[in-house]
Amino acid sequence: MAFAPPGAAAQLMALCLATAVASVLLASNAFTLAWTHSIEKIRWEEDWIVHGKELLLESVRVRGHGAGMEPPAGAVLRNGVWQWHPRSTHSVLRLTRSPYTADYDWCADGGTCVSLATLLPSDGGVTEVRACSDAPPPGQHGD
């Protein structure tokens, strides 16, 4: 998902994740954020691209529908999964994390998915995700 001119290496963008008590810096051009709806127990996945100082919501996949999970107009049902492409930009994502529900899954640039808690433990409140102005040093994926 990274964009670079032909023959040029893609430069990794910087992402900042922060709670009220801690933060981490990640190198990534794109990521998937996934979770299971706390009531409906349905998987929800969002593909995000780091686009300058903004985060671009490229696509959404929901494995069913239920309370508060109705697919928007234009969504397509493929093999039991609703899919759509909002292509909306956001300066910050605010993720509410609770000890009473499973944590978010974080998948960087199509790589292996891990619990968000492995990157930044929850403080029981809100975790903010945003593009950072400073890129991490080469080979560094977080503090």
Side-chain angles (χ1 to χ4, degrees):
M1 283 190 183
F3 301 103
Q11 179 180 350
L12 289 175
M13 303 297 289
L15 277 170
C16 292
L17 282 68
T19 65
V21 296
S23 64
V24 65
L25 181 71
L26 303 174
S28 184
N29 292 321
F31 62 95
T32 297
L33 191 62
W35 65 94
T36 300
H37 189 281
S38 61
I39 303 299
E40 300 294 340
K41 308 300 183 209
I42 294 172
R43 179 91 167 163
W44 186 292
E45 300 170 350
E46 296 179 343
D47 296 328
W48 292 86
I49 297 172
V50 183
H51 187 71
K53 295 180 181 180
E54 301 283 329
L55 300 174
L56 171 70
L57 178 53
E58 176 61 28
S59 62
V60 178
R61 291 174 303 285
V62 179
R63 302 184 187 291
H65 61 83
M69 300 178 64
E70 294 76 18
V76 176
L77 182 62
R78 290 192 185 111
N79 300 320
V81 179
W82 286 101
Q83 301 176 24
W84 63 95
H85 300 276
R87 294 190 175 95
S88 57
T89 58
H90 305 264
S91 59
V92 62
L93 305 179
R94 289 181 179 85
L95 310 176
T96 301
R97 297 168 71 190
S98 167
Y100 305 105
T101 60
D103 204 5
Y104 291 88
D105 288 330
W106 180 277
C107 314
D109 279 334
T112 304
C113 298
V114 297
S115 170
L116 187 56
T118 63
L119 301 173
L120 181 64
S122 174
D123 65 355
V126 173
T127 296
E128 291 190 348
V129 181
R130 67 179 73 231
C132 301
S133 58
D134 296 326
Q140 183 174 342
H141 297 285
D143 294 347

